[in-house]
Amino acid sequence: MIRTTILRYSFIAFSIFLTACGNKEKEYDATGIFEATEVTVSAKSTGELKRFDVAEGQSFDKEVLVGKIDATQLVLKRQQLETSRGQLDASKRQLAASRSATDSKQLDLERQVSAIRQQIVNAQRERQRFTELVNDGAVPRKQLDDINYQIQVLERQLEATRDQIRSNNASLAEQSEGIGAQMEGIDAQRAGLEAQLGQIEDQIANTDIVTPLAGTVLEKYVESGEFVATGKPLFKMADTQHMFLRAYVTTAQLQNVKIGQKVTVLADYGDEKKSYEGTIAWISSRSEFTPKTILTDDERADLVYAVKIAINNDGFVKIGMYGEVKF
């Protein structure tokens, strides 16, 4: 009787244990590894690394000057181009002054012949008066002939003066046009110099080593004083303030996951876990075989989909740390 009672209670206790185990809810729906946006900063110029204030683990804001490649030859080239530009500007000023002087020599045709015109008008008026006097027999005809001759001389003088002024002005205009062509040539040369100066300025700017984002230096590849070539990696940094958990979900879970969805992310610190609010930022469009280091909700699932969950890091989450997500 006692044996039967003990067996009965043992069976009940075992049933309760199984029920509790069956009702226990998993703490996570997927697992993954924390990642960050990493950028390798490479040299944009060739030369000696004159300055390089970078240390692994050091944090920087975006667009901070952390190093400088030797730019001596580029600076000298810029000075040479600036001197040439100044010489061109001086030459253009001289040509502009010469052109102005040439243009000032051109004569106003009507103004120059206005005096002769007035003399002709006066002579014609006098001819009219003497014509009447000759008709009345008051004066000899020779006086009228003299006035007619005087008018002819003035008219020939007027035409000759016009031709001379036109010829002189045409010659001066041709000289002015030639000077203008030289000035246009200087403008073209100056435009070429400006293009070269722009290239030099860009090359000098490329000797500055600047952080491309706000983050932490992960690796340093060179030291100050080394000679670097264009494209040589200098250091690697990552945005550790905005990190991602790359987790993997099964096909069954995928239907309950969408971009922009708020989820709970757990960072595993060994003996304890810390919770963060996360947002699903990316879902892979292709399935892949389950990575060996990843646990999924269905351990039998061979194909899974990668998702990225964005979190704001408080400084405790590290790249490569194990994490879990609860949808």
Side-chain angles (χ1 to χ4, degrees):
M1 183 67 177
I2 295 175
R3 179 185 176 90
T4 304
T5 302
I6 292 174
L7 289 173
R8 184 183 297 116
Y9 281 110
S10 297
F11 177 75
I12 294 173
F14 183 68
S15 300
I16 293 174
F17 173 77
L18 289 178
T19 303
C21 290
N23 292 336
K24 183 179 180 181
E25 185 179 358
K26 294 180 68 173
E27 295 181 357
Y28 61 86
D29 292 316
T31 62
I33 301 297
F34 284 102
E35 301 176 345
T37 301
E38 298 181 2
V39 176
T40 298
V41 180
S42 301
K44 296 182 179 180
S45 183
T46 297
E48 181 184 349
L49 196 55
K50 290 292 188 180
R51 171 193 161 199
F52 195 50
D53 304 325
V54 171
E56 293 180 354
Q58 191 174 4
S59 295
F60 292 101
D61 291 330
K62 185 177 181 180
E63 296 182 353
V64 175
L65 181 65
V66 296
K68 182 74 174 179
I69 299 172
D70 184 22
T72 302
Q73 295 302 317
L74 294 173
V75 171
L76 292 175
K77 180 64 174 178
R78 180 177 63 185
Q79 292 175 352
Q80 180 183 1
L81 291 174
E82 288 174 343
T83 300
S84 297
R85 181 177 61 182
Q87 292 173 346
L88 287 177
D89 290 341
S91 297
K92 184 177 180 180
R93 286 193 296 270
Q94 291 178 354
L95 288 173
S98 177
R99 186 178 191 181
S100 177
T102 300
D103 292 341
S104 66
K105 293 178 182 179
Q106 293 194 28
L107 301 177
D108 184 344
L109 177 61
E110 295 303 320
R111 184 175 180 180
Q112 293 299 318
V113 300
S114 61
I116 300 176
R117 282 180 179 278
Q118 187 61 45
Q119 292 179 39
I120 292 174
V121 169
N122 293 338
Q124 289 173 341
R125 188 180 300 115
E126 192 71 8
R127 182 177 61 182
Q128 179 64 30
R129 187 171 68 85
F130 271 85
T131 298
E132 294 176 356
L133 292 174
V134 169
N135 292 335
D136 293 340
V139 295
R141 186 170 185 82
K142 184 178 181 306
Q143 291 185 1
L144 179 60
D145 293 338
D146 291 341
I147 293 175
N148 286 329
Y149 178 75
Q150 182 182 2
I151 292 174
Q152 291 176 2
V153 170
L154 289 173
E155 287 177 342
R156 286 194 295 270
Q157 183 181 354
L158 174 63
E159 192 60 33
T161 303
R162 279 177 173 172
D163 291 342
Q164 183 180 1
I165 292 175
R166 288 192 184 108
S167 176
N168 179 71
N169 286 349
S171 177
L172 292 173
E174 186 175 351
Q175 293 180 35
S176 179
E177 186 176 349
I179 294 173
Q182 295 180 54
M183 294 174 68
E184 290 177 358
I186 288 178
D187 288 338
Q189 293 180 53
R190 196 181 194 282
L193 282 178
E194 290 292 348
Q196 294 181 55
L197 277 169
Q199 292 175 343
I200 292 295
E201 292 290 355
D202 183 65
Q203 292 173 14
I204 292 175
N206 285 338
T207 62
D208 291 340
I209 303 171
V210 180
T211 55
L213 49 76
T216 303
V217 177
L218 301 181
E219 297 180 55
K220 178 181 178 181
Y221 305 121
V222 295
E223 296 293 341
S224 180
E226 291 187 30
F227 185 89
V228 297
T230 301
K232 180 178 178 62
L234 304 177
F235 65 99
K236 181 192 289 185
M237 66 184 306
D239 181 3
T240 53
Q241 294 181 348
H242 307 93
M243 297 188 66
F244 300 91
L245 175 68
R246 178 185 284 269
Y248 296 85
V249 298
T250 64
T251 304
Q253 291 174 309
L254 189 63
Q255 60 184 343
N256 298 320
V257 176
K258 63 180 180 179
I259 293 178
Q261 178 180 341
K262 301 295 183 182
V263 298
T264 300
V265 175
L266 300 173
D268 193 343
Y269 294 98
D271 295 336
E272 62 176 306
K273 296 181 181 180
K274 193 169 183 178
S275 175
Y276 297 89
E277 182 184 86
T279 303
I280 297 178
W282 172 81
I283 301 174
S284 175
S285 59
R286 295 182 179 181
S287 62
E288 57 185 284
F289 288 104
T290 307
K292 294 181 179 179
T293 57
I294 299 299
L295 297 177
T296 61
D297 184 57
D298 183 359
E299 296 180 0
R300 298 169 300 175
D302 290 330
L303 295 177
V304 290
Y305 289 84
V307 298
K308 278 188 176 182
I309 302 158
I311 68 164
N312 289 323
N313 188 12
D314 56 5
F316 290 100
V317 178
K318 304 297 187 292
I319 297 174
M321 183 181 289
Y322 177 80
E324 301 169 351
V325 58
K326 184 72 175 176
F327 298 122

